[in-house]
Amino acid sequence: MTEPLTRRGIPLDPRLRSLAAITLIDRMGSGAYLTIFAVYFTRSVGLSAHDVALALSTAALVAVLVSVPAGHLADIRQPRAIVTVASLGAAVSVCLLTLVHSAWALVAMVAGQTLCERLSNGARNALIPRIAVGGEGVRFKAYLRAVTNTAMAAGATLGGAALFLDTTAAYLVAFALDAASFALVAVLARRLPTVPLVTHDTPGSRWQVFRDRPYVAVTLAISVLSMHFIIVEVGIPLSLVNAFGAPTWLVAATLLINTVMCATLQVRLSRSSDSVLTGRRTLLSGSIWVAGGFVLYGLGAWLGGTALVVLALAGAVVHTVGEMISSGGQWGVQFGLAPQERQGQYQAFGSLPFSLSGIAAPPLIAWLCVDHGAVGWWVLAAVMMAAGAACVPLAGWALRTRDQYGVTTHTG
């Protein structure tokens, strides 16, 4: 019988408990920060929307470029030391943001903060499969997803209070909360365990994941499937609200549905994804659920009126179920295929789907769902199912060829 991961919502393993506490504090601060970022720099500082967009795009690019190097660093240096130093760097960066008054200074500070956050996140992600082996790693990743959603919602509420007050002082308090959260993470990082490190590092092994063609292939397929994460932010407001006349509150309602469901059901819906073989099947089933949500969105756009609202809300429920199921499948596949001594590098590369989809998905979703309406939603649904179906043979190929690509310590 599987041992319980938590008791009363708190991890039983003290190492996992420390990771969970760090995630809770970190994400709560980020929730407040992200909520007020654009408004503060446009209303209080006086920068243009294009300046803020440039800073956010730069952050996304930095995240993509540094993810794998950050993961590799966590393989050769103690993750807890990286989390400590990087979190202190992030705290300083947030404080310096309050002194910014030009576009290029904003770009530089946001790039520095993103670098620090990626170093910290990469080190924490590298720890998970090393201290939570096999199926427990997937269950804990699901638990962290629930913690993240809860913390982001709480942080967004604090940020929302600053938006309600709409004063520079209120915005600066939100920045201070984010900086304080990073500082507290740096203190709590001392409780993280030490882990075995790579002792014979070579220039070639630093980029081993890029030569692991099956792993790269399955990650690219997951990247296509991961486009569905952008729907709530882009597809619903641009297509259903702006182009097809749904009420604006629908955006908040679908986001609330997604957040509450992920916070309460993610762990339960990830239980069957504890290996590569089960994970690839849940990637497929999750993609079918996601596609079902997109079909409902498309029907709503086609019918319009009250049907649009009802079908959009139903679509959000179905879509979110698919999101949770496929997320569990992704973790099962990526944990099981990675070598234990290179978990930092492999998990960092495995986190790229979200970053890559964040770059490519918005224009594609806008073109399909805004310009082509219901048909565009249904085409996107077919793309989701195709990506999920592709994960099955690709994950099987990767599992069969672990020895061929020098991976001998994977957990399957």
Side-chain angles (χ1 to χ4, degrees):
M1 185 176 178
T2 304
E3 292 293 325
L5 180 71
T6 63
R7 180 179 294 124
R8 296 179 180 176
I10 300 175
L12 295 172
D13 187 324
R15 301 169 301 174
L16 300 182
R17 197 155 56 238
S18 295
L19 267 175
I22 284 173
T23 300
L24 177 70
I25 294 165
D26 177 269
R27 294 292 85 193
M28 189 178 296
S30 295
Y33 166 88
L34 292 172
T35 302
I36 58 96
F37 179 87
V39 175
Y40 169 76
F41 282 106
T42 52
R43 292 173 67 91
S44 295
V45 179
L47 299 181
S48 71
H50 295 292
D51 294 335
V52 173
L54 176 62
L56 294 175
S57 296
T58 301
L61 179 61
V62 170
V64 170
L65 293 178
V66 306
S67 286
V68 175
H72 173 70
L73 183 63
D75 290 329
I76 62 175
R77 296 288 185 270
Q78 282 297 336
R80 73 176 184 180
I82 297 172
V83 174
T84 300
V85 174
S87 297
L88 289 174
V92 172
S93 296
V94 172
C95 291
L96 291 176
L97 274 171
T98 63
L99 305 178
V100 163
H101 287 90
S102 70
W104 292 112
L106 177 62
V107 168
M109 287 298 100
V110 169
Q113 182 194 358
T114 302
L115 172 62
C116 292
E117 286 195 58
R118 282 290 161 168
L119 287 170
S120 177
N121 290 342
R124 281 144 50 190
N125 285 333
L127 270 176
I128 294 172
R130 291 176 180 172
I131 61 179
V133 181
E136 188 178 58
V138 175
R139 286 193 295 148
F140 183 64
K141 190 77 171 178
Y143 173 80
L144 282 187
R145 178 79 179 281
V147 168
T148 295
N149 276 275
T150 303
M152 289 291 287
T157 301
L158 295 174
L163 289 174
F164 176 77
L165 295 173
D166 194 22
T167 64
T168 299
Y171 295 137
L172 292 178
V173 169
F175 277 111
L177 288 173
D178 191 32
S181 73
F182 284 125
L184 185 53
V185 166
V187 173
L188 292 177
R190 298 175 59 189
R191 300 182 181 180
L192 295 176
T194 58
V195 293
L197 301 175
V198 173
T199 55
H200 300 290
D201 193 37
T202 64
S205 65
R206 294 172 190 173
W207 311 111
Q208 177 180 335
V209 67
F210 291 106
R211 294 192 302 276
D212 191 338
R213 289 184 293 172
Y215 191 87
V216 170
V218 74
T219 300
L220 289 176
I222 292 172
S223 296
V224 176
L225 178 58
S226 294
M227 288 195 299
H228 72 82
F229 283 105
I230 312 299
I231 289 297
V232 173
E233 303 170 25
V234 177
I236 291 174
L238 292 184
S239 174
L240 301 186
V241 174
N242 287 357
F244 295 97
T248 55
W249 58 259
L250 185 65
V251 177
T254 53
L255 180 60
L256 181 63
I257 287 170
N258 182 275
T259 301
V260 171
M261 289 182 66
C262 287
T264 56
L265 298 175
Q266 180 68 76
V267 174
R268 184 177 303 174
L269 292 180
S270 300
R271 287 174 180 169
S272 60
S273 305
D274 56 357
S275 70
V276 175
L277 293 178
T278 57
R280 65 177 186 169
R281 290 196 295 268
T282 52
L283 274 168
L284 174 58
S285 60
S287 72
I288 294 171
W289 278 89
V290 169
F294 289 6
V295 168
L296 292 174
Y297 293 145
L299 280 173
W302 185 41
L303 295 173
T306 303
L308 170 55
V309 175
V310 173
L311 289 169
L313 294 174
V317 172
V318 175
H319 171 198
T320 303
V321 171
E323 175 185 323
M324 291 184 287
I325 293 173
S326 60
S327 292
Q330 176 184 346
W331 301 326
V333 167
Q334 291 177 337
F335 283 170
L337 293 175
Q340 284 298 95
E341 72 279 5
R342 296 282 175 189
Q343 285 286 0
Q345 185 181 137
Y346 271 69
Q347 297 314 318
F349 185 82
S351 71
L352 287 179
F354 186 78
S355 298
L356 293 174
S357 65
I359 296 171
L364 178 61
I365 292 171
W367 178 66
L368 283 173
C369 303
V370 176
D371 296 346
H372 297 86
V375 173
W377 281 107
W378 298 333
V379 168
L380 200 57
V383 171
M384 295 296 101
M385 286 193 293
C391 289
V392 177
L394 289 174
W397 172 41
L399 189 58
R400 291 191 305 271
T401 56
R402 292 297 76 204
D403 289 345
Q404 181 180 337
Y405 289 93
V407 179
T408 58
T409 56
H410 65 97
T411 60

